[in-house]
Amino acid sequence: SVLTQPPSVSGAPGQRVTISCTGSSSNIGSGYDVHWYQQLPGTAPKFLVYGNTNRPSGVPDRFSGSRSGTSASLVITGLQAEDEADYYCQSFDSSLSGYVFGSGTKVTVL
Amino acid sequence: EVQLVESGGGLVKPGGSLRLSCAASGFMLSRFSMNWVRQAPGEGLEWVSTITHTGGYINYADSVKGRFTISRDIANNSLYLQMDSLRAEDTAIYYCTRDIGTRDDSWGQGTLVTVSS
């Protein structure tokens, strides 16, 4: 994948976890926005964060995003059992002239 | 309510063709860019193709360029993906999506395409 994420992160209920998304000068580093999706097993991805920091209606404020340089992060505070899922970052790449996704991170709630 | 319903997936032999459909409701296709995104079994998400709201710009991932064709029928409010010269590596769930990365982002439930002899 063009955008690199850690394969897995874990935390106990109530804890805070951070998922990184590392890109390059042709995508995140060029100023293209980063968006985040949550995918529960066997379901379609759900839109979680758009435009680096914004949450669609209905997404809890436990989820927050940020972008800096060639990277972005998704932070989940107050981790809950229902947050156990795969998370993907997404941006645009000027070299490919297309959308790119991160490799995905599995969040496990201990 | 915005709804995207994909259909047309199934089992096809290598080298064969398949046409996926995405029926949109709750909004007009002519007002939004639309995309196809796929996910191979156990793998991550891969963008496949985009058509802008005017239909004036179309793009494809290098992995499908020259083999897949995206189109739409405004009258029927439907999006299509014609897939030719299919390969085993095209096996995936194909999702129809609206305006990726905007507040109007929306996804269908997906349709499974299996390429196998």
Side-chain angles (χ1 to χ4, degrees):
Chain A
S1 297
V2 173
L3 304 179
T4 301
Q5 300 177 232
S8 64
V9 299
S10 61
Q15 284 192 330
R16 164 188 164 125
V17 296
T18 300
I19 302 170
S20 61
C21 174
T22 303
S24 66
S25 58
S26 62
N27 41 70
I28 300 174
S30 287
Y32 291 108
D33 286 340
V34 178
H35 322 290
W36 292 89
Y37 296 85
Q38 176 194 61
Q39 187 175 33
L40 298 170
T43 69
K46 171 189 171 185
F47 201 31
L48 208 57
V49 169
Y50 69 97
N52 308 308
T53 60
N54 304 291
R55 285 183 303 277
S57 174
V59 174
D61 59 7
R62 302 185 291 104
F63 296 92
S64 61
S66 64
R67 182 191 73 181
S68 177
T70 59
S71 297
S73 294
L74 176 72
V75 175
I76 309 174
T77 55
L79 195 63
Q80 298 184 5
E82 60 260 36
D83 298 334
E84 194 160 279
D86 293 325
Y87 293 81
Y88 294 91
C89 60
Q90 182 264 313
S91 187
F92 184 85
D93 190 284
S94 56
S95 297
L96 301 173
S97 294
Y99 297 111
V100 288
F101 286 91
S103 42
T105 298
K106 182 173 181 58
V107 170
T108 301
V109 182
L110 302 172
Chain B
E1 180 192 3
V2 171
Q3 271 203 315
L4 297 167
V5 180
E6 302 94 334
S7 61
L11 175 63
V12 60
K13 289 182 168 53
S17 297
L18 214 53
R19 188 194 196 206
L20 305 183
S21 299
C22 171
S25 59
F27 70 100
M28 295 170 62
L29 272 191
S30 57
R31 296 193 170 190
F32 296 90
S33 290
M34 298 296 294
N35 314 271
W36 288 98
V37 174
R38 69 184 180 182
Q39 186 171 33
E43 301 294 327
L45 301 168
E46 179 189 17
W47 166 75
V48 173
S49 181
T50 293
I51 182 168
T52 57
H53 70 288
T54 63
Y57 177 79
I58 287 174
N59 197 18
Y60 301 94
D62 287 343
S63 57
V64 306
K65 201 169 290 185
R67 300 186 299 121
F68 289 12
T69 304
I70 191 171
S71 64
R72 61 184 191 167
D73 183 338
I74 297 299
N76 286 317
N77 220 35
S78 293
L79 180 73
Y80 304 101
L81 186 67
Q82 177 66 40
M83 305 186 296
D84 299 319
S85 304
L86 282 162
R87 307 166 180 167
E89 53 265 37
D90 295 319
T91 294
I93 296 173
Y94 285 74
Y95 294 102
C96 168
T97 78
R98 181 184 82 166
D99 248 359
I100 281 183
T102 73
R103 63 196 308 160
D104 296 314
D105 188 304
S106 187
W107 293 53
Q109 85 291 345
T111 187
L112 176 62
V113 172
T114 303
V115 185
S116 174
S117 53

